[in-house]
């Protein structure tokens, strides 16, 4: 593993043999467009702007730490996904990546649907005016109250995750005098090449019903016979932060195989398949994500080929990207508080946030990039570890990265690609106040989720 960093002179690149930090980038002032939101740039004076506003001004107005979200980038990504899949497919944004009422309105305006996985997400979606029929409701253990709320609201589909839930949703729908559209989530037995905690299609895990051993076929049998349910399709989600399309192709093939069996056994052609989300994004310059049109083509081709071979009409495809839409659109802005050089070991840069605003590094060993954004610097690169202010050694934001060696307290640094699963997984550890999310667009910035205050903390603590 890496160890190193001394404040001056050539950095210890010789002891680093792997990873994107093995050698410093040619120019630390350059911002790789792969990892930064589209309107982020650095002008000749060194000032970094997003949506036309200097980040130093944003820090003055909104404080740090804070997430800044490039609204036009978000909207452009929504449109790119919708255009790539076209009118015969559906794109459901996965709200777990990041959801707020403003986001729901943008999705609605850009023609996307929404995947929610809790009563809280459902409330946010409905409150912000997402039509219920454009909402899909997920989760491996939805409560009776959540199911009732979803059925009553008229959500477009509930994705059934277990045998018990098939009965539960049928029962609730009948009680409410409804026929609920449902899909069945299956596990297709694919080992996605991603972190263990975010791989979801191998059989040994909590989600879905296994294709293996005929379990999914049995689930279909039950869903087709129970009243209150209209089975419209099969769902598969193989994991997250995946670059290799092979897993999706195997998944699509196995789902179509199940559709074929269903047709042969029941004489029913299920009209929909959902292939889930999980497309990877660039966190560092080493990552090469696929574009939505490539993904749409790869999935569309495989599904139509398999269906043709089986003599099935091609079902309507849907996908559920979360990270791939919101991930690249935001960065987290921090102020440097301390810089600690450990001779021959490492340099620690402590910022005013940490694992409470980005748990992904600690939880998944995730890699991130970082840049000095409040000024330009032509100082030598130094290898650093960016850490937070929490009482825990594992409180790491960026494990290894190069920053200029004249970095000092008061400098602003930004970590790009934090739009997904950072604010949504943020915590109050050490009674930290969760940072705001500020949307920036065309020279205007507005808070879409405000910063927590100490009053918020005390309000929950009823004494
Ligand atoms: N659909 C289903 C059924 C899902 O479970 C997920 C993510 C998605 C769609 C969206 O996946 P995406 O396109 O965003 O990869 N906290 C982890 C990721 C957990 C993903 C859970 N499910 C992380 O920070 O990497």
């Amino acid at each position: 593993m890496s160890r190193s960093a001394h404040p001056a002179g050539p950095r210890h690149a010789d002891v680093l043999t792997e990873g994107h930090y093995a050698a410093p980038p040619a120019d630390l002032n350059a911002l790789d467009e792969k990892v930064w939101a589209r309107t982020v740039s650095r002008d000749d004076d060194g000032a970094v702007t997003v949506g036309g506003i200097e980040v130093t001004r944003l820090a003055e107005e909104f404080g740090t730490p804070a997430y800044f979200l490039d609204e036009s980038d978000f909207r452009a990504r929504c449109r790119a996904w919708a255009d790539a899949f076209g009118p015969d497919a559906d794109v459901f944004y996965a709200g777990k990546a990041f959801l707020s009422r403003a986001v729901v309105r943008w999705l609605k305006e850009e023609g996307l649907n929404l995947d929610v996985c809790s009563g809280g997400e459902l409330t946010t979606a409905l409150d912000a005016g997402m039509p219920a029929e454009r909402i899909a409701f997920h989760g491996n253990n939805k409560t009776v109250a959540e199911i009732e709320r979803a059925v009553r609201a008229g959500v477009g589909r509930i994705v059934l995750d277990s045998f018990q839930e098939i009965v539960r949703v049928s029962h609730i729908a009948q009680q409410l005098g409804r026929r609920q559209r449902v899909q069945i989530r299956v596990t297709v037995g694919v080992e996605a090449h991603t972190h263990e905690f975010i791989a979801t299609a191998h059989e040994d895990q909590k989600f879905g019903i296994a294709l293996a051993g005929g379990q999914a076929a049995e689930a279909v049998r039950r869903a087709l016979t129970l009243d209150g349910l209209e089975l419209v399709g099969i769902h598969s989600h193989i994991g997250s932060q995946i670059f290799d399309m092979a897993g999706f192709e195997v998944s699509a093939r196995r789902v179509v195989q199940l559709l074929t069996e269903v047709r042969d056994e029941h004489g029913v052609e299920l009209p929909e398949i959902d292939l889930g989300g999980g497309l990877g994004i660039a966190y560092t310059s080493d990552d090469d994500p696929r574009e939505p049109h490539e993904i749409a083509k790869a999935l569309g081709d495989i599904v139509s080929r398999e269906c043709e071979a089986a003599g099935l009409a091609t079902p309507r495809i849907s996908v559920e990207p979360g990270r791939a839409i919101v991930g690249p659109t935001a960065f987290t802005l921090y102020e440097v508080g301390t810089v600690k050089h450990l001779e021959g070991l490492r340099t620690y840069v402590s910022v005013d946030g940490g694992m409470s605003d980005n748990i992904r590094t600690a939880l998944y060993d995730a890699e991130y990039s970082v840049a000095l954004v409040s000024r330009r610097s032509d100082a030598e690169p130094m290898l650093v570890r960016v850490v937070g202010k929490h009482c825990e050694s594992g409180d790491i934001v960026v494990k290894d990265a190069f920053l200029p060696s004249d970095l000092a307290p008061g400098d602003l640094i930004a970590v790009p690609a934090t739009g997904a699963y950072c604010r949504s997984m943020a915590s109050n550890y050490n009674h930290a106040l969760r940072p705001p999310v500020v949307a920036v667009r065309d020279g205007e910035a507005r808070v879409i989720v405000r910063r927590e205050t100490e009053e918020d903390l005390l309000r929950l603590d009823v004494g």
Side-chain angles (χ1 to χ4, degrees), residues 94 96-97 115 138 185 197-198 200 207 235 237 239-241 276-279 283 320-324 360 364 420-421 425:
K96 66 207 83 182
D115 142 8
H138 274 277
R185 175 163 175 179
F197 292 178
I198 53 177
T200 55
F207 293 109
H235 182 285
H237 169 76
S240 217
Q241 186 58 6
L279 285 314
Y283 285 103
E320 299 169 340
R323 187 192 319 265
R360 300 194 66 263
Y364 314 116
Y421 304 110
M425 293 174 81

